[in-house]
Amino acid sequence: MKKYDIIIVGGGLAGLTAAIDSKLKGHTVLVIEKKAYPHHKVCGEYVSNEVLPYLNSLGIFLDKYGAMNINTMQFSTVAGDAVSTHLPLGGVGISRYAFDNILYKKATNLGVKFCFQSALSIQFENAQFEVATDQKGIYTSSIVIGAYGKRSTLDKQLKRDFIQHKSAWLAVKAHYKYAFPSNLVALHNFKGGYGGLSKVESGAVNFCYLANYADFQKEKNIDNFNKNVVSKNPFLASFLKNAEPLFEEPLTIAQISFNSKKAVESEVLMCGDTAGLIHPLCGNGMSMAIHAAKIASELIHKFLADKNYSRIQLNEDYQKEWNFTFRQRLWVGRRVQSILMNQTLSNVALSTAVKSPQILRTLIERTHGKPIQI
Ligand SMILES: Cc1cc2nc3c(=O)[nH]c(=O)nc-3n(C[C@H](O)[C@H](O)[C@H](O)COP(=O)(O)OP(=O)(O)OC[C@H]3O[C@@H](n4cnc5c(N)ncnc54)[C@H](O)[C@@H]3O)c2cc1C
């Protein structure tokens, strides 16, 4: 049994960023992550530029790794009506295979400890956390950050509300060889879902889509769904016909919940998707995960350094700051998603949007943050 200042459960973008930031602030940090690096993840792999100043301040420069500069967005309806607009802030295209691994290596070089096991439970007693893993490891700390992503058995153990409800969404992702502009992120609508296309550092094109589970189930498998539903959109039909798959099989995840969650539960500070997932069409989940890690690291540092700053105050401040920073964009994301999934409303909204790039720009601004001030 070993005691750390901070244990981070989950080494995705939120967990790794919090680990790096906290280590740079002088704390002992253990990350418990269930999968070895590098690994692919279901994600659109478009990172909004708003987090680059913060990443740079931690010594992480994504352009060094060949991340694509993306400054244009295209959007199309099921019928193939399309509009393009300049992205107000822009972003970069980088695979999660590369991105998470860059952060992992940085964290390791700084002295962050890693335990590659699955966390099974988090208990808080007498001002101390105890985290138990599937290989009978028990680790203790003053602080636990929950950064284990969208859904985990830990949510059941912590008796979180959202886990009681089933979710209707699944996602599919794979990389392809395909001629595609490196400065473009394209979002194409199809019945019951939408898919994103953008290039990553390897030159591959990432195709990642979110679909309604009921619609998907009717088609029984990915091939049928791609052929009968996704390919109704002419842009996606052309992509699927001409692109060469680089994965043996696409990756899939199900039970993606967009329900509200709390940013603090059972004294655990939740970070990234564990605290709340924005609809992927906004292309902002990774930035939110990284930004939340910054907020958590700063408040935790204050807690560990200042005896007069209580745990109650820490929890209150984190929840407050999380809401202040992210609540509005989550709300806008939910509204946009519900319009997109209602056939009648989406026809009206999309036919208006394709005539006016300004509408699209306003929506992008409302679902993104400003560049993080350092
Ligand atoms: C279809 C889709 C497309 C998306 N596209 C984009 C996009 O283009 N741009 C964007 O910004 N965002 C996008 N997102 C959102 C983005 O992927 C997430 O917001 C982001 O991955 C959140 O990072 P995270 O660190 O919170 O979680 P994750 O990256 O999911 O990391 C969680 C980590 O915890 C580990 N873990 C889980 N349970 C345990 C356990 N019990 N013990 C130990 N480890 C555990 C997992 O292995 C994982 O490594 C998309 C999401 C979806 C579903």
Side-chain angles (χ1 to χ4, degrees):
M1 199 196 276
K2 173 137 203 274
K3 182 152 189 213
Y4 293 86
D5 293 333
I6 304 164
I7 292 178
I8 299 172
V9 179
L13 296 181
L16 290 167
T17 308
I20 292 167
D21 198 335
S22 298
K23 188 69 199 170
L24 286 169
K25 286 180 167 58
H27 305 297
T28 55
V29 183
L30 173 72
V31 175
I32 301 178
E33 164 57 50
K34 64 181 179 185
K35 280 190 190 158
Y37 303 93
H39 52 255
H40 286 288
K41 270 185 179 161
V42 175
C43 181
E45 304 187 327
Y46 165 82
V47 188
S48 165
N49 275 343
E50 69 206 58
V51 289
L52 294 194
Y54 173 51
L55 289 176
N56 293 349
S57 77
L58 299 177
I60 298 147
F61 301 89
L62 297 182
D63 50 351
K64 253 179 48 185
Y65 301 90
M68 301 287 169
N69 277 316
I70 298 177
N71 58 19
T72 305
M73 184 187 177
Q74 182 190 40
F75 186 82
S76 80
T77 64
V78 184
D81 296 326
V83 61
S84 292
T85 184
H86 178 75
L87 286 163
L89 257 180
V92 296
I94 185 160
S95 69
R96 295 299 299 272
Y97 188 88
F99 196 1
D100 291 37
N101 199 40
I102 292 164
L103 298 186
Y104 163 63
K105 284 191 173 151
K106 175 84 190 174
T108 310
N109 288 341
L110 288 170
V112 170
K113 299 288 178 225
F114 281 80
C115 161
F116 288 104
Q117 297 178 18
S118 197
L120 290 184
S121 69
I122 304 171
Q123 309 287 349
F124 180 73
E125 223 179 285
N126 300 328
Q128 177 167 285
F129 286 95
E130 200 174 277
V131 183
T133 70
D134 59 345
Q135 290 176 41
K136 300 199 175 6
I138 294 183
Y139 301 92
T140 60
S141 63
S142 308
I143 291 284
V144 166
I145 296 178
Y148 48 82
K150 297 168 222 357
R151 197 178 189 92
S152 160
T153 45
L154 283 169
D155 292 314
K156 279 195 188 139
Q157 185 253 319
L158 294 170
K159 299 190 175 70
R160 301 186 77 193
D161 275 351
F162 84 94
I163 202 80
Q164 317 300 334
H165 310 284
K166 285 214 154 198
S167 165
W169 300 101
L170 69 89
V172 178
K173 166 245 176 83
H175 285 177
Y176 296 80
K177 193 172 164 196
Y178 183 66
F180 192 82
S182 57
N183 68 332
L184 181 69
V185 57
L187 198 64
H188 300 297
N189 198 208
F190 53 82
K191 185 178 172 288
Y194 44 83
L197 289 170
S198 56
K199 237 178 181 176
V200 296
E201 79 294 339
S202 62
V205 174
N206 181 36
F207 178 43
C208 181
Y209 63 76
L210 186 78
N212 185 289
Y213 186 67
D215 288 313
F216 185 84
Q217 223 181 6
K218 280 184 212 153
E219 300 297 334
K220 297 197 169 54
N221 60 47
I222 294 175
D223 285 346
N224 288 349
F225 190 71
N226 284 353
K227 199 165 112 214
N228 300 329
V229 180
V230 177
S231 293
K232 287 275 179 330
N233 181 309
F235 287 96
L236 293 177
S238 167
F239 171 75
L240 288 168
K241 186 164 167 246
N242 298 306
E244 183 189 322
L246 297 173
F247 287 6
E248 269 179 29
E249 294 289 336
L251 301 180
T252 56
I253 48 168
Q255 290 286 333
I256 304 167
S257 170
F258 299 103
N259 290 344
S260 297
K261 300 174 181 174
K262 287 187 190 148
V264 183
E265 300 230 35
S266 309
E267 315 292 327
V268 178
L269 303 185
M270 304 300 185
C271 221
D273 287 356
T274 317
L277 174 61
I278 191 165
H279 284 277
L281 67 99
C282 304
N284 203 241
M286 288 192 273
S287 299
M288 285 176 52
I290 292 165
H291 195 166
K294 177 175 186 287
I295 297 170
S297 305
E298 280 166 2
L299 291 173
I300 289 168
H301 179 58
K302 191 169 166 190
F303 173 76
L304 292 172
D306 178 357
K307 284 199 172 62
N308 295 319
Y309 187 62
S310 69
R311 189 178 295 277
I312 294 173
Q313 197 60 53
L314 164 69
N315 292 349
E316 268 179 31
D317 287 353
Y318 182 65
Q319 180 70 67
K320 218 188 285 171
E321 197 153 340
W322 198 96
N323 287 345
F324 176 77
T325 313
F326 304 120
R327 188 168 258 180
Q328 203 204 352
R329 59 184 107 157
L330 280 165
W331 185 88
V332 177
R334 262 185 217 120
R335 298 284 86 75
V336 178
Q337 164 97 359
S338 60
I339 291 172
L340 216 53
M341 290 306 122
N342 176 311
Q343 208 63 47
T344 320
L345 277 179
S346 80
N347 284 345
V348 177
L350 294 175
S351 52
T352 315
V354 290
K355 286 181 202 127
S356 165
Q358 182 53 44
I359 295 179
L360 207 55
R361 264 201 302 277
T362 306
L363 280 177
I364 294 164
E365 277 163 6
R366 294 271 166 89
T367 51
H368 287 70
K370 304 252 176 311
I372 298 175
Q373 299 297 318
I374 303 303

